[in-house]
């Protein structure tokens, strides 16, 4: 009798523990997107065939666009010039630094670092804000395999690449081949859950589920 | 006499030590958790290749919840737009907001975790759990409305300024949770240590050992899991009644009094102070569309949905604990010790949440200022 009670109480304790663990959960699973971005990206190449950086154009959803414009002054109601939006663009790129610009690059398996963004500005069109900015690589790199991922590991921001021409190569050697994987086409999930990835931990974080993967092969 | 003097000196010291140890364990556990579970630390960069388990979860219930939330949330903006021209669309907006609230709270988040832990730690009833859940959700909605009403409508400040205010409120809320948790750990630590001392052997094994003792002749057999059990071991140095009740967990009678409610409202204040980023976005958007009132209505309905889910989880936590109490309460000291242990652990969790949230290890819903 006592033994059974002990077992039962242990079971209950376990249940409580599991319930609480579920309540906390991994932080990453707690977030759900509040911001939606439709993105296009361009990979910039130098004359010698090395990658020099990435140029992004991110269009925010209407709710976030409206939110971001709150309190911004404009001469004409509902029309915002690049100059009027300059302070907001400044805030945008400065805040994005904390999140690594949601852009993660690897050249032949080696992580690449980015410098501060340049040529950034905001555009307001049809009620939506588009943030344009260029991320120069710290050191331009020549690589056979270039991998670029655009995503928010905490999934506060949902990145969706544009249906038309999501990724372009600017000035890349003619032999370079581009391949692009969206997060929801199943390949990203399969890859994440694959045993190989599970074992080596590659791309196995939660946010990577939502990663847009760009790969450029230049043989 | 010898024991009397020791009784005076040791509990405070032991409690202080316990809190130190617990804080260390909390920080260590949270830090460990960051490495294991979290993909990104707010101070470091993203850490690709961090967490296989989280990725696995996404496919299941959590993934489904996330997908549903996103769907409903995205429909809110179009519903507000539609409401500009079509009065009926307001009802659609409210319906979507309500369901969004339910789903939003069903995903893991700190609010219900803190409330549930508090209920378990503080021997609260399910009924009070429901009241606290609704009150904190109401406060959360109210804070969101006040922030946007003052920030955007009255002062027409920028999103950056409002977001800054949001962050300040967030830090205050987390600090309050941590302080609250520390207090719970302090009081429950005393009860736990007392229960340990009442055991024949105050070792970590006491729980297991006590469980094997059969004191069926003595058992009180009721739902009250208070210090009365400590008297069962008459042949050992024991704790007298006068030591109990000073920094002890409150009696059910005390809880029902104004002090108990005050403590309860302390929790909802700490938890509900922090507005939901989603609500703020919806409110600002509604304001820009000239439908601020619809945004306010949507925010409160969202809060109602959230409250229902949080209340359900809180009731589950309290029921689980009641069951544990009933199962372990059939026996002497061991049962009391077991319950003190559970309460102590729950108090530790509240502290852990507060500390974790404060230092950014557990961002329930990060306030992102772009």
């Amino acid at each position: 009798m006592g033994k059974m009670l002990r077992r039962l109480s242990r079971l209950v304790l376990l249940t409580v523990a599991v319930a609480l663990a579920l309540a906390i959960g991994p932080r990453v699973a707690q977030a759900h997107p509040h911001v939606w971005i439709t993105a296009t990206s361009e990979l910039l190449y130098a004359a010698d065939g090395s990658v020099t950086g990435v140029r992004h154009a991110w269009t925010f959803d209407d709710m976030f666009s409206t939110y971001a414009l709150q309190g911004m002054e404009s001469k004409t109601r509902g029309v915002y010039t690049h100059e009027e939006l300059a302070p907001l663009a400044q805030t945008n790129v400065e805040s994005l630094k904390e999140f690594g610009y949601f852009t993660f690059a690897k050249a032949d398996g080696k992580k690449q670092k980015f410098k501060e963004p340049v040529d950034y500005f905001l555009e307001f069109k049809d009620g939506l804000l588009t943030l344009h900015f260029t991320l120069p690589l710290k050191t331009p790199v020549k690589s056979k395999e270039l991998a670029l991922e655009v995503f928010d590991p905490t999934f506060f921001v949902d990145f969706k690449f544009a249906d038309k021409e999501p990724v372009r190569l600017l000035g890349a050697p003619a032999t370079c081949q581009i391949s692009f994987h969206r997060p929801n086409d199943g390949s990203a999930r399969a890859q994440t859950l694959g045993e190989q990835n599970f074992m080596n931990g590659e791309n196995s974080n939660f946010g990577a589920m939502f990663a847009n993967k760009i790969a450029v092969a230049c043989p | 006499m010898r024991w009397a003097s020791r009784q005076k000196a040791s509990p405070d010291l032991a409690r202080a030590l316990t809190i130190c140890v617990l804080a260390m364990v909390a920080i260590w556990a949270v830090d460990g958790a960051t490495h294991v579970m979290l993909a990104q630390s707010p101070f470091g960069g993203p850490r690709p290749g961090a967490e296989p388990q989280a990725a696995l979860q996404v496919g299941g219930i959590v993934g489904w919840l996330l997908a549903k939330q996103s769907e409903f949330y995205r429909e809110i903006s179009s519903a507000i737009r539609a409401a500009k021209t079509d009065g009926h669309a307001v009802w659609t907006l409210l319906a979507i907001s309500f369901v969004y609230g339910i789903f939003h709270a069903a995903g893991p988040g700190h609010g219900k975790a803190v409330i549930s832990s508090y209920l378990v730690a503080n021997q609260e009833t399910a009924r009070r759990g429901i009241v606290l859940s609704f009150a904190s959700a109401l406060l959360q909605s109210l804070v969101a409305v006040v922030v946007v009403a003052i920030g955007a409508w009255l002062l027409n400040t920028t999103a950056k300024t409002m977001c800054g205010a949001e962050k300040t409120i967030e830090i205050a809320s987390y600090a309050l949770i941590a302080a609250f948790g520390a207090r719970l750990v302090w009081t429950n630590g005393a009860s736990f240590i007392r229960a340990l001392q009442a055991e024949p052997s105050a070792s970590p094994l006491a729980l297991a050992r006590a469980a094997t003792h059969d004191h069926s002749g003595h058992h009180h057999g009721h739902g009250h899991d208070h210090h009365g059990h400590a008297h069962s071991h008459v042949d050992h140095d024991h704790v007298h009644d006068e030591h109990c009740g000073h920094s002890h967990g409150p009696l059910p009678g005390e809880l029902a009094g104004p002090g108990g409610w005050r403590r309860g409202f302390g929790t909802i204040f700490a938890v509900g102070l922090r507005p939901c980023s989603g609500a703020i976005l919806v409110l600002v958007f509604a304001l820009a569309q000239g439908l601020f009132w619809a945004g306010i209505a949507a925010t409160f309905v969202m809060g109602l949905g959230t409250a229902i889910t949080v209340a359900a989880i809180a009731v589950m936590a309290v029921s689980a604990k009641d069951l544990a109490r009933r199962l372990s309460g059939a026996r002497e000291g061991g049962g009391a010790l077991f319950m003190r242990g559970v309460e102590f652990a729950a108090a530790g969790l509240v502290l852990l949440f507060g500390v974790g949230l404060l230092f950014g290890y557990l961002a329930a819903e990060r306030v992102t200022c772009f």
Side-chain angles (χ1 to χ4, degrees):
Chain A
M1 191 60 200
K3 214 175 183 182
M4 227 173 100
L5 269 177
R6 199 162 75 237
R7 275 196 193 149
L8 266 173
S9 52
R10 271 192 197 149
L11 194 75
V12 172
L13 185 66
L14 193 73
T15 315
V16 173
V18 169
L20 286 171
L22 274 177
I24 320 161
R27 160 188 147 172
V28 283
Q30 293 172 3
H32 76 97
H34 283 84
V35 181
W36 280 264
I37 287 176
T38 308
T40 59
S41 300
E42 292 168 332
L43 282 160
L44 312 176
Y45 285 81
D48 67 345
S50 59
V51 189
T52 56
V54 190
R55 187 186 293 154
H56 287 306
W58 292 351
T59 303
F60 298 104
D61 65 289
D62 62 345
M63 193 120 86
F64 187 79
S65 296
T66 310
Y67 172 77
L69 283 172
Q70 161 59 38
M72 299 307 288
E73 302 284 338
S74 72
K75 261 194 187 140
T76 325
R77 205 180 137 80
V79 179
Y80 297 87
T81 63
H82 292 188
E83 290 71 39
E84 284 165 340
L85 293 172
L88 187 57
Q90 181 81 27
T91 308
N92 284 167
V93 290
E94 278 169 10
S95 320
L96 283 169
K97 187 180 182 180
E98 191 189 336
F99 307 104
Y101 309 98
F102 300 124
T103 307
F104 315 103
K106 269 185 189 173
D108 293 328
K110 254 180 80 185
K111 244 185 208 170
Q112 299 298 311
K113 282 187 178 158
F114 291 106
K115 284 196 276 194
E116 308 262 308
V118 292
D119 303 332
Y120 47 86
F121 62 95
L122 273 167
E123 199 180 15
F124 183 68
K125 211 176 138 194
D126 303 327
L128 302 179
L129 277 175
T130 302
L131 177 67
H132 298 263
F133 67 104
T134 302
L135 277 175
L137 277 173
K138 230 169 206 155
T139 37
V141 62
K142 250 185 183 170
S143 69
K144 278 187 182 143
E145 297 280 341
L146 180 78
L148 188 78
E149 294 187 351
V150 179
F151 70 103
D152 176 4
T154 62
F155 204 39
F156 187 87
V157 183
D158 183 329
F159 283 92
K160 182 187 179 292
F161 270 76
D163 296 327
K164 244 189 193 172
E165 281 202 287
V167 189
R168 289 197 300 166
L169 303 181
L170 286 193
T175 50
C176 290
Q177 291 276 328
I178 190 165
S179 69
F180 174 63
H181 287 279
R182 290 177 192 280
N184 53 359
D185 64 1
S187 62
R189 173 166 301 193
Q191 208 178 344
T192 308
L193 298 183
E195 198 180 348
Q196 206 56 43
N197 292 294
F198 192 85
M199 296 309 280
N200 65 19
E202 274 294 301
N203 302 326
S204 55
N205 58 331
F206 172 86
M209 299 286 301
F210 309 101
N212 294 277
K213 294 170 196 276
I214 300 159
V216 184
C218 301
Chain B
M1 279 311 289
R2 182 171 58 91
W3 271 100
S5 57
R6 264 191 73 178
Q7 283 297 338
K8 265 184 192 158
S10 70
D12 272 359
L13 183 71
R15 278 160 70 186
L17 274 172
T18 314
I19 288 187
C20 286
V21 169
L22 210 92
M24 273 159 60
V25 169
I27 290 165
W28 167 80
V30 171
D31 192 54
T34 336
H35 291 287
V36 180
M37 333 194 281
L38 310 182
Q40 185 203 37
S41 133
F43 304 116
R47 264 191 284 241
E51 158 63 329
Q53 279 149 293
L56 285 169
Q57 282 187 359
V58 178
I61 299 168
V62 175
W64 183 75
L65 282 174
L66 286 175
K68 280 289 154 203
Q69 279 185 64
S70 306
E71 262 174 48
F72 290 123
Y73 186 73
R74 293 219 75 175
E75 278 174 31
I76 290 175
S77 75
S78 43
I80 292 176
R81 276 190 198 285
K84 263 179 19 177
T85 48
D86 176 13
H88 293 291
V90 173
W91 295 108
T92 318
L93 171 68
L94 294 186
I96 295 168
S97 304
F98 180 66
V99 182
Y100 168 74
I102 290 180
F103 275 90
H104 183 57
H110 84 280
K112 70 192 107 355
V114 172
I115 289 181
S116 299
S117 306
Y118 163 76
L119 292 172
V120 170
N122 217 24
Q123 306 171 0
E124 295 281 12
T125 58
R127 203 179 63 112
R128 179 161 303 183
I130 294 170
V131 174
L132 292 183
S133 304
F134 275 83
S136 78
L138 181 73
L139 180 66
Q140 217 180 4
S141 308
L142 205 65
V143 171
V145 171
V146 167
V147 165
V148 177
I150 294 178
W153 185 59
L154 213 63
L155 304 175
N156 195 25
T157 60
T158 58
K160 194 187 174 186
T161 311
M162 257 190 306
C163 202
E166 224 182 306
K167 267 196 168 161
T168 311
I169 295 171
E170 187 179 73
I171 290 168
S173 164
Y174 294 164
L176 277 173
I177 292 171
F180 206 77
R183 203 187 149 220
L184 277 175
V185 165
W186 181 262
T187 50
N188 287 5
S191 309
F192 184 53
I193 287 166
R194 207 165 287 122
L196 273 177
Q197 285 170 341
E199 283 300 299
S201 157
S203 74
L205 286 171
L207 201 155
R209 284 187 47 186
T212 60
H213 287 204
D214 189 10
H215 295 289
S216 52
H218 293 280
H219 77 75
H220 297 256
H222 54 61
H224 300 266
D225 49 11
H226 292 277
H227 43 269
H229 298 294
H231 295 280
S232 54
H233 305 282
V234 282
D235 51 339
H236 295 280
D237 301 307
H238 62 273
V239 183
H240 283 287
D241 237 347
E242 57 262 32
H243 293 295
C244 305
H246 293 304
S247 51
H248 203 274
L251 295 162
E254 291 168 18
L255 272 178
W261 281 111
R262 206 181 307 136
R263 205 176 306 114
F265 281 108
T267 331
I268 60 160
F269 188 70
V271 173
L273 195 59
R274 185 188 163 283
C276 167
S277 331
I280 301 239
L281 277 164
V282 168
L283 282 163
V284 173
F285 184 71
L287 179 67
Q289 303 298 320
L291 279 173
F292 194 34
W293 65 270
I296 293 173
T299 302
F300 279 104
V301 171
M302 232 185 259
L304 190 68
T306 307
I308 289 173
T309 309
V310 174
I313 292 168
V315 168
M316 256 155 58
V318 172
S319 311
K321 194 201 157 198
D322 276 347
L323 188 60
R325 172 164 53 197
R326 229 167 290 143
L327 290 172
S328 64
R331 275 162 294 107
E332 284 311 316
L337 177 62
F338 176 76
M339 292 320 292
R340 292 294 86 76
V342 170
E343 281 154 20
F344 183 56
L349 270 178
V350 176
L351 177 62
L352 199 144
F353 289 140
V355 171
L357 290 163
L358 197 58
F359 292 103
Y361 284 116
L362 296 158
E365 217 177 43
R366 180 185 68 207
V367 172
T368 302
C369 309
F370 277 158

